Amino acid sequence: MEYPQESFNATTFAPDSFWARRRQVVRSQTLRHQLQMLKETGRYDAFKLKWHPSYSDPCAVWPVPNHLFWDSDVAKWIEGACYLLMDYPDEEIDAAIRELVGMIQSAQQPDGYLNIHYTVVEPEKRFTNLRDMHELYNAGHLVEAALAHRLLYKNDELLRPILKYVALLAATFGNQEGQKAGYPGHPEIELALLRLYKVTRDPEHLHLARFFLEERGNPSGGKERRHYYDVEAEARGERKNEVPESYPAPRSYWYQQAHVPITQQQTIEGHAVRAMYLLTSVADLVRISEPSSDVANKFLPALHRLWGNMIEKKAYVTGGIGAMKKWEGFGIDYFLPHGTDEGGCYAETCAAIGVMMLAERLLQIELSSHYADILELCLYNAVLTGMSLDGKGFTYVNQLASSEEDLSQRYEWFKCACCPPNVTRTLGCLGGYVWSWKVDNETRKATVNVHLYTSATLRFQVADSRVEITQKTQWPWHGDVSFLVNIDGPPVNLDLRLRIPGWASTWEVIPQPSQPDLRDGYLYLPSDWIQQHLEFRLSCPMRPRVVRPHPLTMQPVAYVTRGPIVYCVEDVDNSWENDHFKVGCHIPQGEEESRS
Amino acid sequence: MEYPQESFNATTFAPDSFWARRRQVVRSQTLRHQLQMLKETGRYDAFKLKWHPSYSDPCAVWPVPNHLFWDSDVAKWIEGACYLLMDYPDEEIDAAIRELVGMIQSAQQPDGYLNIHYTVVEPEKRFTNLRDMHELYNAGHLVEAALAHRLLYKNDELLRPILKYVALLAATFGNQEGQKAGYPGHPEIELALLRLYKVTRDPEHLHLARFFLEERGNPSGGKERRHYYDVEAEARGERKNEVPESYPAPRSYWYQQAHVPITQQQTIEGHAVRAMYLLTSVADLVRISEPSSDVANKFLPALHRLWGNMIEKKAYVTGGIGAMKKWEGFGIDYFLPHGTDEGGCYAETCAAIGVMMLAERLLQIELSSHYADILELCLYNAVLTGMSLDGKGFTYVNQLASSEEDLSQRYEWFKCACCPPNVTRTLGCLGGYVWSWKVDNETRKATVNVHLYTSATLRFQVADSRVEITQKTQWPWHGDVSFLVNIDGPPVNLDLRLRIPGWASTWEVIPQPSQPDLRDGYLYLPSDWIQQHLEFRLSCPMRPRVVRPHPLTMQPVAYVTRGPIVYCVEDVDNSWENDHFKVGCHIPQGEEESRS
């Protein structure tokens, strides 16, 4: 199971677990709430290709029309809904998915093209502004929605039109005569194509993803031997100082991580979500390439370098990334103010989801608790915080300090509504982040890497045996985790690897292995030990810790953390705060009581 | 004597004083060096109106041609040279001034127009881009040069053509039919017109300055009832997102302090030099208006508010202002990083000169040592530091922390060379900042406010008596100042007011006045006391102090200060540093020895 978006299905959260309860809220409240938002704002019906009055609104962020992301909002909701309906059938949601799929099918143009804006508003301008216009980003989310839809419905009703669209993209983009040597301003299609390739094994899908990644930032690309965004801008008649509002200066292509080829990028720059989606696809391409292949040799050092720069110098204590509001992204090294009144702490929810996605891909390349620690940090402190307890309020910006002028508040929806359905789909397939595993049916061997702790059961088949691994814990409030392994059928060689969190100053496994084998922060429990200890316990005592930011951040503050959680100090008397940041940062009331 | 640019002439620095020695370097080295730079770069001959190859160079900061400031570079050098030649005749400099004046005369167009760029390069585009193009800024500096020239040469050879140009401006700009309701993107003409008005008493000059100040930022100006910069941009065919490189976003008119009328501006924003020049003229307009006039009532609160915001929340410990490189100006409150690697510390030399100019005007409105303290702070720590000991190296940016990537270095000249001649002219008329005074010949009364301490003599006439006030001190190294008053002729009622610096935790006057009268940081010594004590001494012991920035700046640093000086810690082994920041920050070797 190579992608959490597929593998989540093998995990069942215990009904009283922290995450089962959050996912239950998403299923019962969030999906409905977001469906209502899609309907109220016009997104739901947009694939009917009728004019919507808002299409004439001035751009909030020039040159990007406000409705440009509508395709992706719908797609991400479908994707999340499909994940959640695997566990919880729901007639109303099911009916909406079916209706949306029908509308998407009917919106497809004869040649396969499938995009709301460029069919209804500017049909003559298809693919003339890859830099700004999110066409390929929307396409990527449609691909991901189609893959999720196929998983739930086990049919190709959505995948079929999407494959036709992808075929058009593959014909349009590339280095061949008559093709455009361009690549998306907002990455997403790349990671979607790689997921698609896993299903289709169509070399065209792999080829197109790789083209986008290798061509990106080429200073002498295409026939003209120039930067594609320059060529494209000139063809549009754009003037040299006509600058997208997210750019601090003309040709700030680092905003899109396209200032130089990816392999030459020394520091992580620009729009944080784009950077994460891009590097997720780079990591995935490396993952499926031979370890010493050209692809791995050139991209892996860049991945290490950019991840390292980000985590060491451009990430908040919560795992949030991207201080700068103007370009929703990274500032200079160590520029990590806490609030708008200090210069910004944008830390977009989607960016933290992107860190989780990237960390998960990197864990597949090299099993190191460093990646899983960051993944868990983001999950509790920068992603979960993006949704309110009732599942109907969302953050986009996640300042660490609220100010009167710019309150930390949750909203029911956004004009650019990327974050809310992104949280939905992330929690939808959360089980896939808990553990990863490999099975060799011939040798009857299986290896399970446990990345996150929560009460849940993983079930998979090894040849004719059924393996069941159950963990029970009150994580993130208690650091004790009981494991129970059950193999139904002939014996299986089951290796287990348990992540030992970086914050755990002490830990133990009971019964104690005679020679604990700890590598890169994972405790390797070999199959013979497991066979003798089908029940065992991991204990990582959670002691409150005071953490300080790097001195070069110039932040004279201290954070109180315990286990994976960074605590938030807030005043219940804040008159404006109806929705205290309890989850993730605060211990929900019920939990706190159960602990005392 | 209402302006330091005139009154300086009444002050003679003692030859061994700190400032006489600095001014001697400027006279003997800087004037020549800068003249050479003017010649080498093409500026000297530019008023000949021949094409210069650099006129075709691409803009360093779009849309501003690199040579656009050449008029002002020449004008500021003339201004500074004229001040210095009052004390030190110099044939070579004198000849250059005469030649330049001749060239300026000959460059004037029949209608009075006088600008290099818009005569040679784009003659058809006069006054079509007040927002960006520095036409009126250049005009203002020509006015100031002409006033300085008149002071030295006692003729109108430069003033005559300039008055003709000003007449053209007065006809062009205003709210009458057929006039342009515009105002300069870079203020300067306003303060120059007010200085000019003092000389000419031509109501048109006052009227034009006032129009520029009152119209600025009007959202519904002119016939079109819209913001002038919008109207003008549209007329040029500029597109909505064609953005000057200094703007972070379209229509960032706060860059020019033109986002709303001055009276409505709540915080100090945008380009720091523009803000200072603008407020200097506002203060001067208030100064010459009746205390309860409309002008005073509306502008004085804005002055207090903007000065307060700047000094409390947007100024460095040195008096430097403007952290943001992109717009050479103010960031958000308390955003005061020390170096480029922390987000910037632009602190342009000209901006600190602007603070001095503004503080001096404010002192004329209300005598408070707060203004003089800031004036002195800037002079030693943010202006004097802008020139090397040898008078031939200059800073433009004044970071408080040097980094390998962006060294703190002095340069012999700049493409945009505003700072070097600005230091020249400031030191040229420095005597005018030392004290201000008023004379009433009828009542034989004079009042002298002593703002700065240095070894110098002030001489002026009261009716038929000659007043001479001499101070002797080793300031800024020693806090003792001896005063000697000498009145040659019939008695004069002389009131003296001595600034008691804010940093002076103790101070005394010897002999001690029986009831010291301290008001707003000035010690009032009445004429009867002076009559009895023609010799007295002020002592302000200079104790080293450790100063910390406001906690909200998030700067975990401490500064060592003593007297008016903020000390600089630097490594003499820095291989790149040939010109250690000795003056102002460091004690020059000779001085240090003389103290021990």
Side-chain angles (χ1 to χ4, degrees), chain A residues 513-555:
Chain A
S514 54
Q515 285 185 315
D517 178 9
L518 189 70
R519 298 181 223 167
D520 291 331
Y522 278 79
L523 178 70
Y524 282 58
L525 298 172
S527 56
D528 52 349
W529 190 89
I530 296 286
Q531 227 154 9
Q532 290 158 32
H533 307 92
L534 293 173
E535 280 187 62
F536 59 91
R537 190 160 61 86
L538 168 69
S539 176
C540 302
M542 289 178 177
R543 297 193 181 94
R545 295 187 311 146
V546 172
V547 177
R548 288 181 185 280
H550 192 288
L552 291 178
T553 62
M554 307 284 182
Q555 291 289 332

Side-chain angles (χ1 to χ4, degrees), chain B residues 108-114 126 161-162 164-166 168:
Chain B
Q108 186 159 47
Q109 301 302 295
D111 62 351
Y113 191 75
L114 192 38
R126 268 190 203 181
I162 300 306
K164 188 173 175 189
Y165 186 18
V166 170
L168 173 68

Side-chain angles (χ1 to χ4, degrees), chain B residues 413-585:
Chain B
W413 195 246
F414 303 96
K415 191 172 271 178
C416 170
C418 50
C419 299
N422 219 356
V423 175
T424 305
R425 65 176 192 143
T426 302
L427 294 188
C429 65
L430 188 69
Y433 287 89
V434 175
W435 23 37
S436 57
W437 67 99
K438 272 188 185 153
V439 168
D440 186 333
N441 287 318
E442 272 183 44
T443 58
R444 307 188 63 81
K445 203 174 144 46
T447 310
V448 176
N449 309 312
V450 187
H451 308 305
L452 299 178
Y453 299 110
T454 184
S455 290
T457 301
L458 172 68
R459 291 183 186 87
F460 59 89
Q461 203 75 25
V462 181
D464 53 349
S465 295
R466 187 161 179 75
V467 177
E468 225 182 66
I469 304 170
T470 297
Q471 39 166 318
K472 264 184 112 168
T473 177
Q474 296 214 37
W475 208 277
W477 318 125
H478 274 211
D480 281 4
V481 191
S482 314
F483 282 86
L484 175 65
V485 175
N486 182 32
I487 294 166
D488 188 9
V492 164
N493 287 322
L494 176 67
D495 284 349
L496 264 180
R497 295 154 184 184
L498 306 183
R499 165 180 155 248
I500 306 301
W503 48 258
S505 48
T506 62
W507 57 272
E508 57 176 349
V509 166
I510 303 149
Q512 217 173 321
S514 54
Q515 284 184 318
D517 178 11
L518 189 70
R519 298 183 222 164
D520 292 330
Y522 278 78
L523 178 70
Y524 282 58
L525 298 171
S527 56
D528 52 349
W529 188 90
I530 295 287
Q531 230 153 6
Q532 292 159 32
H533 307 94
L534 292 173
E535 279 188 66
F536 59 91
R537 189 161 61 85
L538 169 69
S539 175
C540 301
M542 289 180 177
R543 299 195 180 91
R545 294 187 312 144
V546 172
V547 177
R548 288 180 184 280
H550 192 288
L552 290 179
T553 61
M554 306 285 181
Q555 292 287 333
V557 298
Y559 310 103
V560 178
T561 74
R562 184 176 170 278
I565 289 184
V566 182
Y567 283 79
C568 164
V569 179
E570 72 177 16
D571 180 359
V572 291
D573 301 325
N574 284 342
S575 57
W576 52 269
E577 207 357 88
N578 309 311
D579 170 34
H580 291 278
F581 279 58
K582 287 173 184 150
V583 177
C585 285

Side-chain angles (χ1 to χ4, degrees), chain A residues 224-240:
Chain A
E224 309 210 25
R225 317 290 298 154
R226 291 169 60 205
H227 196 292
Y228 185 78
Y229 293 162
D230 287 338
V231 174
E232 194 194 51
E234 246 177 60
R236 285 195 302 274
E238 202 170 275
R239 295 186 190 166
K240 281 211 159 51

Side-chain angles (χ1 to χ4, degrees), chain A residues 210-405:
Chain A
R210 195 171 154 177
F211 167 76
F212 284 144
L213 294 177
E214 293 185 329
E215 190 59 25
R216 189 171 201 88
N218 186 349
S220 53
K223 253 195 307 193
E224 309 210 25
R225 317 290 298 154
R226 291 169 60 205
H227 196 292
Y228 185 78
Y229 293 162
D230 287 338
V231 174
E232 194 194 51
E234 246 177 60
R236 285 195 302 274
E238 202 170 275
R239 295 186 190 166
K240 281 211 159 51
N241 285 77
E242 223 170 344
V243 188
E245 270 180 47
S246 309
Y247 277 25
R251 301 187 78 250
S252 297
Y253 297 154
W254 50 259
Y255 169 71
Q256 282 106 343
Q257 296 84 39
H259 48 311
V260 290
I262 296 166
T263 52
Q264 291 172 31
Q265 297 181 14
Q266 300 302 312
T267 51
I268 193 120
E269 302 296 344
H271 190 272
V273 181
R274 296 177 201 230
M276 291 304 96
Y277 285 21
L278 180 66
L279 295 186
T280 296
S281 65
V282 172
D284 207 29
L285 185 65
V286 168
R287 182 187 65 83
I288 62 174
S289 306
E290 291 298 319
S292 60
S293 63
D294 281 358
V295 166
N297 282 341
K298 70 178 178 181
F299 282 121
L300 194 55
L303 275 173
H304 284 142
R305 190 167 62 234
L306 298 172
W307 171 272
N309 178 238
M310 175 173 84
I311 296 302
E312 286 161 28
K313 302 183 180 173
K314 299 190 178 186
Y316 285 96
V317 68
T318 54
I321 56 169
M324 306 300 292
K325 179 179 184 177
K326 183 170 176 71
W327 53 84
E328 301 185 304
F330 300 102
I332 57 170
D333 286 351
Y334 300 113
F335 183 72
L336 293 163
H338 279 178
T340 318
D341 48 354
E342 292 169 38
C345 171
Y346 201 75
E348 184 181 338
T349 307
C350 283
I353 291 174
V355 177
M356 284 181 63
M357 286 161 50
L358 174 56
E360 191 280 330
R361 291 292 85 183
L362 290 169
L363 270 174
Q364 305 270 340
I365 300 175
E366 44 197 293
L367 188 69
S368 162
S369 66
H370 166 69
Y371 300 122
D373 281 354
I374 299 290
L375 194 162
E376 186 182 50
L377 187 73
C378 285
L379 173 60
Y380 283 103
N381 303 291
V383 175
L384 183 60
T385 47
M387 188 177 71
S388 61
L389 262 185
D390 71 1
K392 299 174 182 178
F394 305 92
T395 60
Y396 191 116
V397 176
N398 295 279
Q399 315 176 56
L400 297 189
S402 188
S403 66
E404 278 302 322
E405 281 165 35

Side-chain angles (χ1 to χ4, degrees), chain B residues 59-79:
Chain B
C59 303
V61 183
W62 188 86
V64 185
N66 307 335
H67 60 276
L68 198 71
F69 321 95
W70 282 15
D71 315 55
S72 71
D73 297 336
V74 169
K76 279 195 284 188
W77 182 85
I78 293 176
E79 186 188 347

Side-chain angles (χ1 to χ4, degrees), chain A residues 172-188:
Chain A
T172 305
F173 296 100
N175 264 328
Q176 302 303 307
E177 187 63 32
Q179 288 185 308
K180 285 173 190 283
Y183 37 84
H186 196 316
E188 157 64 25

